[in-house]
Amino acid sequence: MAAPSAFILLLVPVLASMAATGTASFDVRAELNHPYAGSPLSRSIYTLTVGVGTPPKRHTLVHDTGSDLVWVECKLLGGAATPTDPLYDPGKSSSFAAVPCDGKLCREGEFESKNCSRNRCLYTYAYGRGRTVGELASEVFTFGVHHKVPTTLNFGCGSLDKLSSVTQLQIPRFSCCLSPYTDRKSRHMFFGAMADLSRYRTTGPIQTTSFLNNRIGSNIYYFLPLIGISVGAKKLSILASSFAGTFIDSGYTIGALTAPALDALEEALADALKLPRRSSSDPDYDFCFQLPRGVPMEAVPAPPLVYHFEGGAAMVLPRESYLAEPRPGEMCLVIGVDAQPVIGNIQQQNMHVLFDVQNQKFSFAPTQCDQI
């Protein structure tokens, strides 16, 4: 995913060390924005604004739950500013500090390559289809809309190669409610005690499943125990092996299933919708239907798509969370094929999701995100 801002916020399943950061609690409500609403799906990103450094300088972060390195576009390594974000300059911050070669992140971080020279920990990190290079350091990041909370994070002070810039925040409990990808209104992201679905209005029940205990913390992803899929009331015949490695990722836009699962889903949709198939000229869409002449997508009956998890939790996705109308007269599936199933940000829209990493639980509830 390419992003236009100079930072990307990556939330990963690693507990924050509050003692090390000097933060006793992290109970924060932050504003979540969708600046490229209505753009092609490949640019469907969600951002929030934080302060970086001392004194804090305002920067935009992109919310993503699919990577494990904190890094920012940095003057130290020849980074570049963007029209929306200034270049981060460690020389103008009194709280910037280099991570020495014997520092925990330098010793234990998983990098493509690493080099320690004159007690500077230099790295190359692979991300998606590209990589970034930089120097490991620590800095103060300030979060919150009204109540401001500063916390010190280890991060990479780096520059772009073929990839968007990345910043990572590690926190034990957070929730977010993503607006529809066509909606520009701001929403909120919650940290600590503020991340409690029962505190906010939902339009359906709060349901909970467990992260896969043997996987959490061992990889950059939040793995979930997906065990089945239904289209309406029809449970699809899909082998359990097709759901192995399912994870949820706010930086993965359209979502994905393995080839056997996607084939079964497409067959079930064709049977349920009874609409003629058509090809799309938009590369974001592979499986499309021809809508009746003059009839918009929202007027066409479509069954919910249901993801079933171990323990009985069921994520019910309405039409707009798995189908889109990229052009008048065209309705397309916004779930693609991949080696591992992914619940992407389209599936999460108007769904308040809670990542309770400390207790290894994932909760969710359908919610009108503009009402919380």
Side-chain angles (χ1 to χ4, degrees):
M1 178 190 71
S5 73
F7 292 80
I8 291 185
L9 170 63
L10 300 167
L11 299 166
V12 298
V14 183
L15 298 183
S17 173
M18 294 305 181
T21 64
T23 305
S25 65
F26 198 88
D27 305 330
V28 178
R29 180 185 180 109
E31 190 173 87
L32 195 62
N33 298 296
H34 195 192
Y36 294 92
S39 297
L41 288 180
S42 59
R43 298 188 70 189
S44 183
I45 59 175
Y46 296 83
T47 68
L48 52 92
T49 300
V50 303
V52 180
T54 305
K57 301 293 184 182
R58 185 180 174 93
H59 289 283
T60 299
L61 312 180
V62 176
H63 166 53
D64 186 3
T65 55
S67 189
D68 65 345
L69 175 70
V70 176
W71 73 273
V72 304
E73 185 94 38
C74 181
K75 184 176 181 180
L76 190 67
L77 267 292
T82 74
T84 57
D85 278 302
L87 182 65
Y88 167 70
D89 185 353
K92 294 182 179 179
S93 172
S94 62
S95 51
F96 174 87
V99 169
C101 291
D102 61 357
K104 182 181 174 80
L105 183 59
C106 187
R107 289 183 287 106
E108 301 179 5
E110 297 184 7
F111 302 99
E112 186 176 42
S113 64
K114 184 172 54 180
N115 175 43
C116 273
S117 175
R118 294 192 292 272
N119 208 29
R120 298 173 63 202
C121 191
L122 307 178
Y123 66 87
T124 299
Y125 181 78
Y127 175 82
R129 291 183 291 273
R131 57 180 50 85
T132 174
V133 296
E135 176 181 350
L136 296 180
S138 68
E139 184 57 282
V140 172
F141 290 73
T142 302
F143 296 83
V145 177
H146 305 296
H147 174 56
K148 304 293 185 181
V149 177
T151 185
T152 301
L153 299 177
N154 288 326
F155 75 110
C157 184
S159 62
L160 295 171
D161 185 353
K162 299 177 182 177
L163 184 67
S164 54
S165 344
V166 178
T167 301
Q168 171 193 321
L169 171 69
Q170 298 174 344
I171 200 74
R173 180 183 176 94
F174 64 94
S175 71
C176 58
C177 201
L178 303 182
S179 58
Y181 77 96
T182 55
D183 191 348
R184 292 184 181 273
K185 296 178 182 177
S186 64
R187 299 293 177 261
H188 291 92
M189 189 167 186
F190 307 93
F191 300 92
M194 298 292 288
D196 180 352
L197 302 190
S198 65
R199 295 178 59 153
Y200 310 100
R201 180 181 178 184
T202 68
T203 57
I206 298 172
Q207 301 186 70
T208 300
T209 189
S210 296
F211 290 119
L212 293 179
N213 294 344
N214 63 330
R215 303 291 298 275
I216 193 168
S218 65
N219 202 295
I220 62 178
Y221 301 121
Y222 293 100
F223 291 97
L224 293 173
L226 182 65
I227 59 173
I229 295 177
S230 296
V231 173
K234 180 182 179 181
K235 188 77 172 287
L236 305 188
S237 180
I238 303 172
L239 293 176
S241 59
S242 293
F243 302 121
T246 298
F247 63 97
I248 184 166
D249 184 357
S250 66
Y252 197 115
T253 301
I254 66 170
L257 291 170
T258 58
L262 185 62
D263 288 345
L265 174 58
E266 291 176 347
E267 182 179 347
L269 284 177
D271 183 60
L273 296 173
K274 294 181 170 52
L275 293 171
R277 288 284 313 281
R278 65 167 290 174
S279 298
S280 175
S281 58
D282 190 323
D284 285 331
Y285 305 94
D286 295 321
F287 186 77
C288 300
F289 296 95
Q290 176 70 54
L291 293 170
R293 183 180 297 275
V295 178
M297 184 183 80
E298 57 266 25
V300 174
L305 174 64
V306 185
Y307 285 174
H308 301 277
F309 300 98
E310 281 184 2
M315 181 179 285
V316 181
L317 303 178
R319 173 182 45 218
E320 60 271 17
S321 292
Y322 73 96
L323 293 168
E325 187 177 6
R327 291 178 179 81
E330 183 176 292
M331 182 169 69
C332 301
L333 180 65
V334 284
I335 297 175
V337 66
D338 210 326
Q340 291 177 266
V342 187
I343 300 174
N345 65 41
I346 294 295
Q347 285 76 63
Q348 296 173 59
Q349 62 185 349
N350 275 337
M351 185 77 68
H352 196 174
V353 296
L354 170 65
F355 297 75
D356 186 351
V357 181
Q358 190 168 33
N359 296 305
Q360 300 185 339
K361 299 291 185 181
F362 174 72
S363 299
F364 55 91
T367 302
Q368 285 299 120
C369 293
D370 60 352
Q371 297 181 13
I372 65 171

